[in-house]
Structures are given as structure tokens and as C-alpha cells.
Amino acid sequence: MTQLRTVQVLGGGSAGSSAHVRSLAAGLVARGVRVTVCAPAELDNVYDFPGAGARFAPVPGRSDPAAVGALRAVCAGADVVHAHGLHAAMRCALALTGQRVPLVVTWHARAQLDGPRGQLLRLLERRAVRASAVVLGSCSELVDRARRRGARDARLAPIAAPAAPAAGTPKDGDGPGVEPAGKLRAELGAVDRPLLIAVGSLEPHRGYRTLLDAARQWRELEPAPLLVIAGEGRERAALQRRVDAEGLSVRLTGRREDIGELLAAADMAVLPSRWEARALLAQEALRLGVPLVATAVGGVPELVGDAAELVPYGDAAALGAAVARLLGDEGRRRELEEAGRRQAGTWPTEDETVAQVLSVYDELAQAAR
């Protein structure tokens, strides 16, 4: 029996999709699959795909003829090509023109565009899903969206986030263990007051303007909580100006590599986004038993079930009230801690995620023979 050959293609690559491809590559290689990861070179510097046993082929995340030609060369001879995200799917559709290699697309998230750009996005979505043999949606809403765009075969494929190292234990390698929660809280300035954590790029769709509106309400609490927002992006300067002008108890820390440790030290996590599929913050918070307040958007309700407090997107009053209510109700926080761990136990493991994807590959490879 010949060895199955697959090419995993990333475009720009969000942290979630890149981490998923790294995990998927490792699992597939362990099962005897020959894996090539095709992505911009800078992603390999972060995720070390060869370290997972995959071959790495650096190809710029562009759609010009040279980049598409390079991608076409990498995909030649593959049994299955697997694109992660809309941009990667469009590039693969171009590269595979005239070839009989089946294309699998995992739809990790949904772009937030309105007006003419939104119309163009919908056109690209239709072209991408119609070029695909199978579309895997990370939440039910994305599966439904793919079907509306004309997908021949769209399936739900929840993606397991790679488990982060447990707080207080050494990470992989010879480095020291992570800082205890108390020392990290002292560093952030939250020794004698509640610590709230939000994580994500500082972009409009993340809902941080609404979160700062909610933070105004918490100034009246005693003690007033400290909100830490970890991430970087084009809204940083505007958000910092508001924090300074309004005297908000908020720290913008920039991008950090110790998100698991931050969450483990926190009293609560907050996710105010306009849309999410399987938000990494939500997954890590529930796994660690950290109470979560999140917007009821996209795949979030499906992901968290009854293990989080959900509020409407853009409703600062509801968001602020939910956080204040939880801060004043230790019993409810304990309920959410336990419910979060139980809910996390229902999610697919990395092994189950790999097994589902491999079953799709085998199905398509056999049909192509």
C-alpha cells in the first residue's frame, strides 16, 4: 500500500490555524502520512513544522503567478491538498487548475467585511468552496455558510486547540518553570484586586472599544478590577489614548507568549468579539477553570454550552453588568470553574481531530483511484 501524500497550505495564517496545522502535521506523520507544509517562511520560524516531522516548503502568501506556480509545483504528486482558510483555498484552487488532486478546505473563521468588500468576499467564498471536494467547518455556522455558498460536501470538524503547558509546571525543554500566579499578578499590578484577561489582536472586530466602555462601569467597584488586554494591532494607539484620557484601570501589554500563565493567574476571562468560531481564549479559559464572559456570536455558544456567561455583541452595559455580577458572586464563579472543565472534557482531542481529517483523506484518495 503506497504512503498517503498530503500538502497542508497556509496563507497568512492566524495563530489558531497555524497551531492546528502544526498539530495536524505531527499527528498525520505519526500515522504514516507524508506531510508537506506550504506557508510563508516566517510561519516556520514560529511553528517549526519540520520539528513535527513534516517537510516545509516556503511559498509567499500571495496570488501572483510566481507564487501560484511555486505552490503548484509543491502540490504536484500529492494525493490530497488541504488548504486552511479562505485565502489559502483560493490560491490552491488556482494552483490545482487542470489537476485531479482533491482539495480539502478547513474554514477556521469568517472575515468581517461589509459593503462592496463584503460582496467580493462572498464571491471568493463561493469560488473557494465550489473548487473543494470537502469543506470542513470549525463550527456549525461555518458549515451552514459553506453550504449556502454552494459547497458539494460540507462537514462539521471541530478543531482541538493544542493543550498549553499547565501553569506552574516546566515547559518543554530545559528552561525554568513558569512564574507562580502570585508573582505574575504582582508584575501586572493586581495583588489586591481582581484580574480580568482579554486576548487577541487589537482590531475593530475584537470588540475592545465596547470592552473599554464596560470598564468605565467597574471604576465604582471596590476593589476595582484590573483589565489586562494581551495583543497587538492597529487599534493600539486609539485604545491607549482612551485608557489614559478616561483613567481606566486597563493595561495593554502587547503580544505575550505566556497566555496560559496569564489565564491561570486571572480571576476571569473576557471575550467581547464580533464573531468567533472556536476561540482559543475560550478553550484555554474553560480548560483551566477560569470563569468566562463572552459574546454570544458565531460558534461561541456551541463551544461553551452552559459553562460561560454570554452577552450580546456590542452591548457594553450587558458586558459590564455580567462581569460585575460574577465578581460579586463567588458561588457562581465556582460553578463556572467546574462547568468549564466539564465542558472542555466534551471537546475532541488532538488525536480525534487528526483521525477525522485522515478519514476524509482516505475517502478522497480511494475515490480518486
Side-chain angles (χ1 to χ4, degrees):
M1 186 174 180
T2 59
Q3 185 179 34
L4 186 69
R5 298 159 300 176
T6 178
V7 177
Q8 307 288 319
V9 182
L10 281 159
S14 68
S17 59
S18 299
H20 169 61
V21 169
R22 214 281 184 182
S23 170
L24 183 60
L28 290 171
V29 169
R31 289 163 173 78
V33 178
R34 187 187 306 172
V35 179
T36 298
V37 176
C38 185
E42 59 269 20
L43 289 182
D44 187 49
N45 295 334
V46 177
Y47 293 96
D48 183 24
F49 299 111
R55 170 177 171 254
F56 180 71
V59 173
R62 304 191 305 265
S63 297
D64 59 81
V68 171
L71 179 58
R72 182 182 180 87
V74 174
C75 294
D79 295 301
V80 179
V81 173
H82 191 160
H84 296 267
L86 177 62
H87 181 59
M90 285 301 303
R91 294 168 60 231
C92 287
L94 292 171
L96 294 176
T97 300
Q99 299 189 38
R100 299 189 62 185
V101 180
L103 173 62
V104 176
V105 172
T106 292
W107 209 337
H108 293 264
R110 190 187 79 182
Q112 306 297 316
L113 297 175
D114 300 312
R117 296 181 67 194
Q119 294 176 3
L120 176 60
L121 173 67
R122 288 188 289 274
L123 175 62
L124 295 177
E125 289 174 347
R126 283 195 293 272
R127 290 181 175 176
V129 301
R130 290 174 181 177
S132 308
V134 176
V135 178
L136 303 177
S138 60
C139 68
S140 296
E141 184 174 315
L142 288 176
V143 174
D144 293 340
R145 188 178 179 92
R147 288 171 179 160
R148 290 196 303 271
R149 297 290 183 262
R152 290 171 286 170
D153 187 342
R155 311 178 191 182
L156 179 63
I159 294 168
T169 63
K171 295 182 179 180
D172 292 340
D174 299 325
V178 299
E179 292 183 322
K183 186 175 181 180
L184 186 52
R185 289 178 69 103
E187 172 202 318
L188 295 170
V191 174
D192 298 318
R193 54 177 172 165
L195 176 61
L196 314 179
I197 298 292
V199 179
S201 58
L202 306 185
E203 301 294 336
H205 69 276
R206 293 293 185 183
Y208 291 133
R209 296 180 187 182
T210 301
L211 185 55
L212 294 191
D213 291 340
R216 286 203 298 260
Q217 304 175 46
W218 307 329
R219 291 182 295 193
E220 307 303 320
L221 299 178
E222 185 58 45
L226 172 66
L227 170 64
V228 169
I229 302 176
E232 198 56 81
R234 55 180 167 159
E235 287 222 305
R236 171 149 192 177
L239 294 173
Q240 188 64 60
R241 284 194 297 271
R242 277 198 59 187
V243 169
D244 296 339
E246 299 174 27
L248 301 177
S249 185
V250 176
R251 284 193 61 181
L252 306 181
T253 66
R255 189 176 290 108
R256 294 188 60 128
E257 301 300 325
D258 58 347
I259 300 304
E261 291 87 340
L262 281 174
L263 278 171
D267 298 287
M268 198 180 307
V270 188
L271 182 68
S273 302
R274 178 181 175 186
W275 196 90
E276 295 281 355
R278 294 180 67 83
L280 288 173
L281 174 67
Q283 292 187 63
E284 292 183 15
L286 267 60
R287 280 175 172 168
L288 290 169
V290 178
L292 172 69
V293 177
T295 43
V297 297
V300 173
E302 181 178 38
L303 176 68
V304 304
D306 296 326
E309 294 284 345
L310 298 180
V311 299
Y313 167 72
D315 190 334
L319 178 60
V323 169
R325 187 169 58 251
L326 275 182
L327 288 176
D329 189 342
E330 182 177 359
R332 177 58 177 158
R333 294 200 305 275
R334 298 292 173 264
E335 289 177 5
L336 288 177
E337 290 172 10
E338 296 175 4
R341 293 190 176 99
R342 286 197 303 271
Q343 181 70 8
T346 69
W347 298 335
T349 64
E350 289 183 77
D351 281 346
E352 290 167 341
T353 298
V354 173
Q356 181 182 16
V357 170
L358 184 56
S359 71
V360 173
Y361 294 171
D362 286 338
E363 175 186 330
L364 294 175
Q366 289 175 16
R369 292 191 181 110

